[in-house]
Amino acid sequence: DDVLREVDDVLARLKRALAAVRCELLDAKGRADMAAVRRTGRSFNDLKDLVRRLVEERRLITRNAALASLLVTVCRRVLPVRQVDPTALVNIPASCEGYRRIMDFYFFTDA
Protein backbone atom coordinates (compact mmCIF):
# COMPACT_ATOMS: atom_id res chain seq x y z
CA ASP A 1 0.00 0.00 0.00
CA ASP A 2 2.84 2.40 0.81
CA VAL A 3 4.44 1.87 -2.58
CA LEU A 4 1.17 2.50 -4.39
CA ARG A 5 0.57 5.61 -2.32
CA GLU A 6 4.01 6.93 -3.26
CA VAL A 7 3.48 6.08 -6.93
CA ASP A 8 0.11 7.84 -6.88
CA ASP A 9 1.70 10.88 -5.22
CA VAL A 10 4.42 11.05 -7.88
CA LEU A 11 1.79 10.60 -10.61
CA ALA A 12 -0.26 13.46 -9.20
CA ARG A 13 2.80 15.73 -9.12
CA LEU A 14 3.78 14.78 -12.66
CA LYS A 15 0.25 15.46 -13.89
CA ARG A 16 0.29 18.91 -12.24
CA ALA A 17 3.63 19.62 -13.91
CA LEU A 18 2.22 18.35 -17.20
CA ALA A 19 -0.75 20.71 -16.91
CA ALA A 20 1.56 23.65 -16.18
CA VAL A 21 3.79 22.83 -19.16
CA ARG A 22 0.70 22.43 -21.36
CA CYS A 23 -0.45 25.92 -20.37
CA GLU A 24 3.01 27.24 -21.16
CA LEU A 25 2.93 25.45 -24.52
CA LEU A 26 -0.47 26.91 -25.42
CA ASP A 27 0.75 30.34 -24.39
CA ALA A 28 3.84 29.98 -26.61
CA LYS A 29 1.63 28.86 -29.50
CA GLY A 30 -0.61 31.88 -28.94
CA ARG A 31 2.42 34.19 -29.13
CA ALA A 32 3.67 32.32 -32.24
CA ASP A 33 7.04 31.87 -30.48
CA MET A 34 8.26 28.81 -32.39
CA ALA A 35 11.46 28.42 -30.36
CA ALA A 36 9.45 28.31 -27.13
CA VAL A 37 6.90 25.97 -28.73
CA ARG A 38 9.65 23.51 -29.71
CA ARG A 39 11.40 23.72 -26.33
CA THR A 40 8.17 23.45 -24.33
CA GLY A 41 6.80 20.78 -26.65
CA ARG A 42 9.84 18.58 -25.99
CA SER A 43 9.40 19.04 -22.25
CA PHE A 44 5.70 18.29 -22.56
CA ASN A 45 6.38 15.09 -24.51
CA ASP A 46 9.05 13.99 -22.02
CA LEU A 47 6.68 14.53 -19.09
CA LYS A 48 3.88 12.74 -20.92
CA ASP A 49 6.20 9.78 -21.52
CA LEU A 50 7.17 9.72 -17.83
CA VAL A 51 3.51 9.68 -16.82
CA ARG A 52 2.77 6.87 -19.27
CA ARG A 53 5.69 4.76 -18.01
CA LEU A 54 4.78 5.34 -14.36
CA VAL A 55 1.15 4.37 -15.04
CA GLU A 56 2.42 1.17 -16.66
CA GLU A 57 4.68 0.44 -13.67
CA ARG A 58 1.72 0.98 -11.33
CA ARG A 59 -0.35 -1.43 -13.41
CA LEU A 60 2.39 -4.06 -13.12
CA ILE A 61 2.62 -3.58 -9.35
CA THR A 62 -1.11 -3.98 -8.84
CA ARG A 63 -1.27 -6.92 -11.27
CA ASN A 64 1.53 -8.75 -9.46
CA ALA A 65 -0.10 -8.08 -6.09
CA ALA A 66 -3.43 -9.37 -7.39
CA LEU A 67 -1.79 -12.50 -8.79
CA ALA A 68 0.03 -13.16 -5.51
CA SER A 69 -3.22 -12.73 -3.59
CA LEU A 70 -4.98 -15.11 -5.95
CA LEU A 71 -2.19 -17.68 -5.54
CA VAL A 72 -2.43 -17.53 -1.75
CA THR A 73 -6.22 -17.83 -1.87
CA VAL A 74 -6.12 -20.85 -4.18
CA CYS A 75 -3.36 -22.55 -2.18
CA ARG A 76 -5.23 -22.01 1.07
CA ARG A 77 -8.25 -23.76 -0.43
CA VAL A 78 -6.28 -26.65 -1.88
CA LEU A 79 -3.44 -27.27 0.57
CA PRO A 80 -4.05 -28.41 4.13
CA VAL A 81 -3.06 -26.04 6.93
CA ARG A 82 0.38 -26.90 8.25
CA GLN A 83 0.78 -27.48 11.95
CA VAL A 84 3.84 -25.69 13.26
CA ASP A 85 5.78 -25.69 16.48
CA PRO A 86 6.30 -22.08 17.67
CA THR A 87 9.36 -23.13 19.66
CA ALA A 88 11.09 -23.76 16.33
CA LEU A 89 11.55 -19.99 16.02
CA VAL A 90 14.40 -19.61 18.48
CA ASN A 91 18.01 -18.64 17.85
CA ILE A 92 17.34 -17.31 14.35
CA PRO A 93 20.46 -15.67 12.88
CA ALA A 94 20.14 -12.16 11.47
CA SER A 95 20.94 -13.27 7.94
CA CYS A 96 19.36 -14.32 4.70
CA GLU A 97 19.21 -17.88 6.00
CA GLY A 98 17.41 -16.69 9.14
CA TYR A 99 14.94 -14.76 7.02
CA ARG A 100 14.27 -17.90 4.97
CA ARG A 101 13.69 -19.95 8.12
CA ILE A 102 11.11 -17.43 9.34
CA MET A 103 9.37 -17.31 5.94
CA ASP A 104 9.32 -21.11 5.77
CA PHE A 105 7.81 -21.20 9.26
CA TYR A 106 4.91 -18.96 8.26
CA PHE A 107 4.44 -20.30 4.73
CA PHE A 108 0.84 -21.51 4.41
CA THR A 109 0.15 -21.61 8.13
CA ASP A 110 -2.49 -19.85 10.14
CA ALA A 111 0.23 -18.47 12.42
Side-chain angles (χ1 to χ4, degrees), residues 89 92-106:
L89 276 185
I92 304 292
S95 65
C96 185
E97 181 59 35
Y99 172 78
R100 286 187 183 133
R101 279 182 58 196
I102 292 170
M103 289 294 101
D104 185 53
F105 178 83
Y106 283 106

Side-chain angles (χ1 to χ4, degrees), residues 7-23:
V7 168
D8 289 341
D9 184 46
V10 170
L11 265 173
R13 290 178 186 193
L14 280 174
K15 287 179 180 179
R16 284 194 299 271
L18 192 62
V21 172
R22 183 175 185 274
C23 288

Side-chain angles (χ1 to χ4, degrees), residues 8-9 17 52-53 72 91 107 109:
D8 289 341
D9 184 46
R52 182 190 55 75
R53 288 188 305 187
V72 169
N91 298 325
F107 192 66
T109 68

Side-chain angles (χ1 to χ4, degrees), residues 24-87:
E24 196 175 313
L25 179 62
L26 291 175
D27 186 46
K29 282 182 178 180
R31 293 190 321 265
D33 183 353
M34 289 290 101
V37 167
R38 281 191 289 278
R39 184 179 62 249
T40 309
R42 281 191 296 271
S43 296
F44 181 78
N45 288 336
D46 289 344
L47 277 171
K48 203 162 67 167
D49 187 51
L50 276 174
V51 168
R52 182 190 55 75
R53 288 188 305 187
L54 192 55
V55 165
E56 181 60 30
E57 287 295 320
R58 187 187 191 289
R59 192 173 297 124
L60 289 174
I61 291 169
T62 55
R63 189 183 109 222
N64 287 341
L67 289 175
S69 177
L70 178 64
L71 175 66
V72 169
T73 301
V74 168
C75 287
R76 282 188 177 270
R77 288 185 182 163
V78 174
L79 298 174
V81 174
R82 284 181 35 205
Q83 298 302 318
V84 295
D85 178 16
T87 60

